[in-house]
Amino acid sequence: MLLPAIILVLIFSYIPMAGLVIAFQDFKPWLGFGKSNWVGLEYFRFLFSTPEYVQVIWNTLIIAGLKMVTGLIAPFTFALLLNEVRRATFKKTVQTLVYLPHFLSWVILGGILLDMLATEGLVNQFLGAVFGLEPIFFLGDGDWFRFIVVLSDVWKEFGFGTIVFLASLAAINPSLYEAAEVDGASRWEQVKYITIPALIPITIVVGTLSLGNILNAGFDQIFNLYNALVYDKGDIIDTFVYRMGIIDGNFGFSTAVGLFKSVVGFILIIIAYRLAYKLANYRIF
Amino acid sequence: MYYKSRSYKIFSFFNYTFLILISLLCIIPMVHILAVSFSGKAAANANLVGLFPVNFTFEAYAKTLANENFLRSLWVAVQRTVLGTLISMTLITLAAYPLSKESHKFKRRNIYTWFFVFTMLFNGGLIPFYILIQKLNMMNTLWVLILPGAVSVWNMILLLNFFRGVPKELEEAAFIDGAGHLRTLFSIYLPVSLPAIATLSLFTMVGHWNNWFDGLIFMTDHKNYPLATFLQTIIVQQDFSKVAVRPEDLENISNRTVKAAQIFIGMLPILLVYPYLQRFFVKGIVLGAVKE
């Protein structure tokens, strides 16, 4: 029964791993893997010695880092607030609405955001009418671009991220709250001494596991929002690999960049899983 | 009783207000785009549309549905979603079943599991994958959209965890009655795992429907673009050369209301399956995410 799955994984996952040799070659498609010249670590040296390319790595780390932090705080807070709601229908409605963006692709959301964030779009109209601000060129200015990327990512994913925290909240033994109430604890004290400590293990798990993604700043999102104006601050490793490799046909160099990312990512994921296991006794299977 | 205290009532008021505001923020962009799609062209181009249509009309939808490029992409997307989900679910079910067995019953279970899990941790990356697809002559075929991602290891692990929770007695009773493994899988495991199967199928469908990137790089002929890729080139890249429009159609395609209508049609299936999806997925996700 395993055979069909094994064959497909072998072809589409393991064979490309063998293709990584071109990271060390001056790969020419018409010569193939066998006859292309070897260049050793040339591409890697190139990557780390060219300021533009180092900038791409920094962009990735900055954007991914900001997303990790906000992506942990927002669902955590939201779950705490939602947990204070006593009406089941209200809770359910809020959940239905905030989960929705998660299921739409960045193409759809990108299309909507491009429209709304344009200089004469809905957001700028609103800011102008309420605060009297001059139109802001959100997607054409590097700093604003990063801000929008992080903000829209939180907007898309915080609702969905809440699920895990809500599930842990539901698992807290109600008798703890009853006992606290008998002892005269206020609601805030209950949250502080029961709810938040109960969420610590899952927070550690989510936090450490996201470490493995530090070089994934979100290809889909950035690719659908960026333009040549913000390459300096918005270009991440994945978009860079795509532009260099598929568009410019720089196969060897692109593969080397991708390999660098894969190796670092692999090491980080292993460390993260070990840490999650140690700190919170978490295992995936 | 804390919730009768004054300070808690004040907190509650702000809490409810805040939650309502956040919820609205999550759907306002979609409401806005819907309003634009139903508005008159002049009003939309002058940015007069907020959350309600101005000069209500179906014109944008009529134009969108008369566009044969759009319809062809829609058809490709439907094909890949239906076929892709069927194939993917069959493959992961067949693989999850043996892997859910104890290691004393299925000897090399751990080796096989690692064979799959390793691909989640490490991969060859975009370029070697692209070269492979070229070498396999899979460019411009429907299969390139379906086969490479068919074995979703993550979904497979969720499913095998679910299978593990099925009471052993059921399986033993089936074996005593003379059922083989295949029979047990289809008559015992699948029926009791229906919530998990439904969740994963819906996730797979959403994934196929939303995926645009494989279409963009592996379809050199725009005729084979799935809808998501078509929308990506038209709306995000604003590259009309790739869909070979006639000059007289150009204005229709780049029109703001038509774009809004296309975006809305693109998200419609998700909006339709989403309420059903939500019923199941909390269970499905928690299953994979929180495990003691």
Side-chain angles (χ1 to χ4, degrees), chain A residues 25-40:
Chain A
Q25 286 180 334
D26 179 19
F27 182 71
K28 298 272 187 282
W30 56 92
L31 291 176
F33 301 106
K35 290 189 187 133
S36 292
N37 285 327
W38 293 90
V39 295

Side-chain angles (χ1 to χ4, degrees), chain A residues 67 70 106 145-157 221:
Chain A
K67 277 184 177 179
T70 47
W106 275 115
F145 180 79
R146 277 185 190 166
F147 176 75
I148 293 296
V149 163
V150 173
L151 193 72
S152 58
D153 184 66
V154 171
W155 173 76
K156 183 176 192 277
E157 302 296 347
Q221 181 194 14

Side-chain angles (χ1 to χ4, degrees), chain B residues 1-199:
Chain B
M1 297 306 242
Y2 65 82
Y3 52 86
K4 285 190 180 150
S5 76
R6 209 163 67 112
S7 55
Y8 191 76
K9 277 184 182 155
I10 297 175
F11 163 76
S12 266
F13 171 76
F14 281 108
N15 192 24
Y16 275 79
T17 317
F18 180 74
L19 291 175
I20 292 172
L21 270 177
I22 295 282
S23 312
L24 288 180
L25 263 176
C26 284
I27 52 161
I28 280 178
M30 278 63 106
V31 175
H32 171 65
I33 218 72
L34 186 62
V36 172
S37 73
F38 281 116
S39 295
K41 206 163 119 187
N45 287 341
N47 285 300
L48 295 174
V49 184
L51 300 178
F52 298 98
V54 179
N55 302 332
F56 189 91
T57 164
F58 285 106
E59 208 191 325
Y61 288 91
K63 275 181 189 154
T64 302
L65 295 175
N67 179 347
E68 67 182 276
N69 288 319
F70 182 87
L71 292 178
R72 199 167 36 217
S73 307
L74 188 66
W75 175 233
V76 176
V78 170
Q79 277 178 298
R80 82 171 284 187
T81 305
V82 173
L83 257 180
T85 308
L86 278 176
I87 291 177
S88 180
M89 288 309 292
T90 311
L91 284 168
I92 67 166
T93 310
L94 286 177
Y97 175 77
L99 292 177
S100 71
K101 300 293 169 211
E102 306 284 327
S103 44
H104 62 85
K105 281 198 190 135
F106 177 32
K107 284 258 163 41
R108 274 171 292 267
R109 194 193 84 94
N110 279 329
I111 300 175
Y112 288 111
T113 313
W114 270 108
F115 172 82
F116 289 110
V117 171
F118 185 69
T119 63
M120 277 168 66
L121 307 177
F122 189 78
N123 60 67
L126 182 62
I127 309 298
F129 182 60
Y130 182 80
I131 296 174
L132 173 75
I133 298 295
Q134 276 186 328
K135 292 248 150 97
L136 289 174
N137 279 325
M138 281 174 77
M139 303 287 278
N140 282 313
T141 61
L142 191 61
W143 298 112
V144 75
L145 306 177
I146 292 174
L147 290 181
V151 184
S152 158
V153 177
W154 178 244
N155 287 351
M156 200 173 89
I157 287 173
L158 290 181
L159 194 61
L160 85 83
N161 272 330
F162 202 93
F163 280 169
R164 257 186 225 173
V166 175
K168 290 279 159 300
E169 291 77 12
L170 285 176
E171 188 195 56
E172 282 160 16
F175 281 140
I176 291 171
D177 289 344
H181 279 295
L182 262 181
R183 184 74 196 262
T184 317
L185 172 60
F186 284 106
S187 313
I188 308 281
Y189 277 84
L190 283 190
V192 300
S193 312
L194 223 53
I197 303 274
T199 315

Side-chain angles (χ1 to χ4, degrees), chain A residues 14-72:
Chain A
Y14 283 92
I15 292 183
M17 288 184 206
L20 284 170
V21 293
I22 66 174
F24 309 97
Q25 286 180 334
D26 179 19
F27 182 71
K28 298 272 187 282
W30 56 92
L31 291 176
F33 301 106
K35 290 189 187 133
S36 292
N37 285 327
W38 293 90
V39 295
L41 295 175
E42 188 56 37
Y43 294 132
F44 294 92
R45 219 170 294 143
F46 205 40
L47 176 66
F48 290 107
S49 61
T50 318
E52 290 171 72
Y53 302 158
V54 174
Q55 179 71 36
V56 169
I57 298 174
W58 274 116
N59 290 343
T60 311
L61 288 173
I62 291 169
I63 293 175
L66 287 173
K67 277 184 177 179
M68 263 173 62
V69 176
T70 47
L72 201 58

Side-chain angles (χ1 to χ4, degrees), chain A residues 14 84 96 103 115 160 224, chain B residues 8 115 210 232 256 274 277:
Chain A
Y14 283 92
E84 296 301 319
T96 309
F103 290 95
D115 183 85
F160 203 70
N224 282 308
Chain B
Y8 191 76
F115 172 82
N210 280 343
Q232 210 271 339
R256 187 154 173 253
Y274 172 63
L277 186 83

